[in-house]
Amino acid sequence: MSETKQKIEESLFETAANMPDPAERSAFLEGACRDDPALRARLELLLEGHFQGEGFLTENPKRQSAPPPPPPSEAPPTLSGRYQLLEKIGEGGFGEVWSAEQKEPVKRSVAVKILKPGMDTRQVVRRFEAERQTLALMDHPNIARVLDAGATDTGRPYFVMDLVRGVRITDYCDQHHLSTPERLALFIKVCEAIQHAHQKGIIHRDIKPSNILVTLHDGVPVPKVIDFGIAKATQSELTDATLSTQFPQFLGTPTYVSPEQAERGGLDIDTRSDIYSLGVLLYELLTGKTPFDSKTLLAAGLDEMRRIIREQEPVRPSTRLTRKRLTARSAASGKSQIANRKSEIDRDLDWIVMKCLEKDRTRRYATANGLVRDLQRYLANEPVTARPPSTVYRLGKFVRRNKVLVGAASGVAAVLVLGIAVSAWEATVA
C-alpha cells in the first residue's frame, strides 16, 4: 500500500471512530468506500477490533451468521501515585476517559484521559499530546482545565483534567424547556470560551453539542467546552506537538464543519471555521435540527457531502421552525415535536444565524466576540449588525453555482443581441 493510500485509510478510520452513532458510522463507510469494497472491509475489521467487538457496525450479510466470541474483559489501566481510577465515563476515537480520585496533595474528583491500548502510532500519540498542550494553554471558566499529566504503568500517556459531569447543551435546553433568551445566554458563554481559545491561537475545529456539556455550579448552569482532540494551533510556536494536515482528510463532524473544512485537504482554515460551527449549534438550539441532516449527508457519499456543505444553502431557522410546526399539527397524535416550543425566531435572529453560516467566510463574523455583541444587541432590542445579503451578492453566488447554465444563457443572449444589431444595421442601409 502506498503512503498516500495508507494516510487516507488512517484518516477515514479516525473519522469513523469519532462518530458516536453506529448508523452514522455505517453510512459514512458506505459513502466513503462506495467504489472500494476492499477498503471498506479493511476499515470494518480495524474498527471492530478498535471497539473490541462492541458491534457498532451493521451486520454484514456476507459474514458468517455465527456470533463472534465475546472479547476478553480488559483490565483497567493502573496509575502509580496519587490517582485512583474509578470507572470509565467516556470513549473517543483514540482515548478513553475515566473518573478518578486524586489522593494528594488535595483530595478531589478528577477526569483522566488515557490513550487507548493499541493506538500508540506516532500520529495518534502526537495528536494526544497536542490536545494536552492545547488545554494547558487555556484558563477559562467555560473550558475544562488540564491539571496534571503522566504515563500509566504500561507506558500509555494520560492527562488529568477537570471532571465535568454534565449533559449536552442541546439536551439540557430541551429537558429544562429553556426559552430563547435563556438558550442564548448559555450560547454566549460558549462563544466567550471559543473566543478565549482563539486568543490563545487555538481553533477547536469540532464544535458540536457532545463537546459542550452543561453542569450545575450552585444551581447555576455552566457550559464547559471539552475535547480539543483535533484542535489546530494558528501559531506553530504554541506547542511542539501541533499537528499539520499533510494529506486530504475529513476532520470534524460533517454536520458541523465549515465549507472550507469540507474542501479536500482542509488546509486553509482559520478561526472563522469555528464561527460557522457556532452558527450550526445556534441553529440547532433554536430549531431542534441542524441545517443539514446528518444521515442525508453521510448517505450521500464523501464527494457529494463535500459539495452539499460547500454549495447548498440551508433554509432560515424561522422557516425550518414553521415547517416543523405545520408537520406537528398534521401528525395524527397531535403532539408537538418541536424541541424549542417557546422560541419565536424573528428576522434579526435569522440574520445573525445566517451570517454565521455564510459560505464565504469573509461575510461571517470576524470573531466570536462579534457574534456575542450582536446577540447582546438582539437581547437588548437594539439594531444588529447582521444584514441579509444584497441582490448583487446573491446573483454572484448563483453565477458561481451555475457556471455552465449561465455561460450557455449568456452565449444565447449575445447571439440574439448580435442578430438584432445586424438586422437593424441592414435595415438602416436598405
Side-chain angles (χ1 to χ4, degrees), residues 304-373:
E304 178 64 10
M305 179 199 305
R306 294 180 192 273
R307 188 199 67 78
I308 292 173
I309 296 172
R310 292 196 311 264
E311 300 178 11
Q312 188 170 316
E313 295 290 346
V315 299
R316 294 179 302 169
S318 58
T319 304
R320 173 64 64 87
L321 200 58
T322 300
R323 290 177 181 175
K324 290 184 67 175
R325 284 184 174 140
L326 293 175
T327 302
R329 287 175 185 172
S330 62
S333 64
K335 182 180 179 181
S336 174
Q337 298 299 316
I338 301 173
N340 188 9
R341 297 182 180 87
K342 297 184 179 180
S343 72
E344 290 294 339
I345 304 176
D346 62 22
R347 185 173 57 180
D348 283 352
L349 203 51
D350 259 346
W351 287 349
I352 291 173
V353 174
M354 298 309 289
K355 184 177 179 68
C356 295
L357 298 180
E358 284 283 356
K359 305 295 184 185
D360 180 0
R361 59 182 169 182
T362 62
R363 295 184 61 86
R364 298 176 204 152
Y365 292 99
T367 64
N369 271 348
L371 171 57
V372 168
R373 285 194 293 270

Side-chain angles (χ1 to χ4, degrees), residues 169 172-173 178-192 221 223 278-279 281-287 317 340 343-346 348-350 352-353 356 368 371-381 384:
I169 185 171
Y172 180 86
C173 291
L178 298 190
S179 64
T180 295
E182 291 170 330
R183 291 168 186 251
L184 293 180
L186 283 180
F187 179 76
I188 285 174
K189 293 180 180 178
V190 175
C191 293
E192 291 170 345
L278 286 170
L281 175 61
L282 180 56
Y283 192 109
E284 188 173 5
L285 286 172
L286 295 172
T287 68
N340 188 9
S343 72
E344 290 294 339
I345 304 176
D346 62 22
D348 283 352
L349 203 51
D350 259 346
I352 291 173
V353 174
C356 295
L371 171 57
V372 168
R373 285 194 293 270
D374 237 6
L375 288 172
Q376 290 172 338
R377 293 187 189 99
Y378 166 78
L379 292 172
N381 293 318
V384 299

Side-chain angles (χ1 to χ4, degrees), residues 7 32 39 50 63 107 143 145 147 177 219 248 268 281-282 310 353 369-370 384 393 399 404:
K7 289 180 176 179
L39 174 60
H50 170 60
R63 294 181 184 174
K107 288 187 177 182
I143 298 178
R145 297 176 301 161
L147 306 172
H177 307 292
D268 189 21
L281 175 61
L282 180 56
R310 292 196 311 264
V353 174
N369 271 348
V384 299
Y393 176 70
V399 171
V404 176

Side-chain angles (χ1 to χ4, degrees), residues 94-96 113-116 123-133 157-159 229 243:
F94 57 88
E96 53 190 28
K113 187 166 186 176
I114 308 173
L115 190 67
K116 280 185 176 180
Q123 183 186 17
V124 172
V125 170
R126 287 184 62 204
R127 181 168 294 172
F128 189 86
E129 293 293 329
E131 181 182 9
R132 185 181 73 181
Q133 295 292 339
Y158 71 83
F159 59 87
L243 292 172

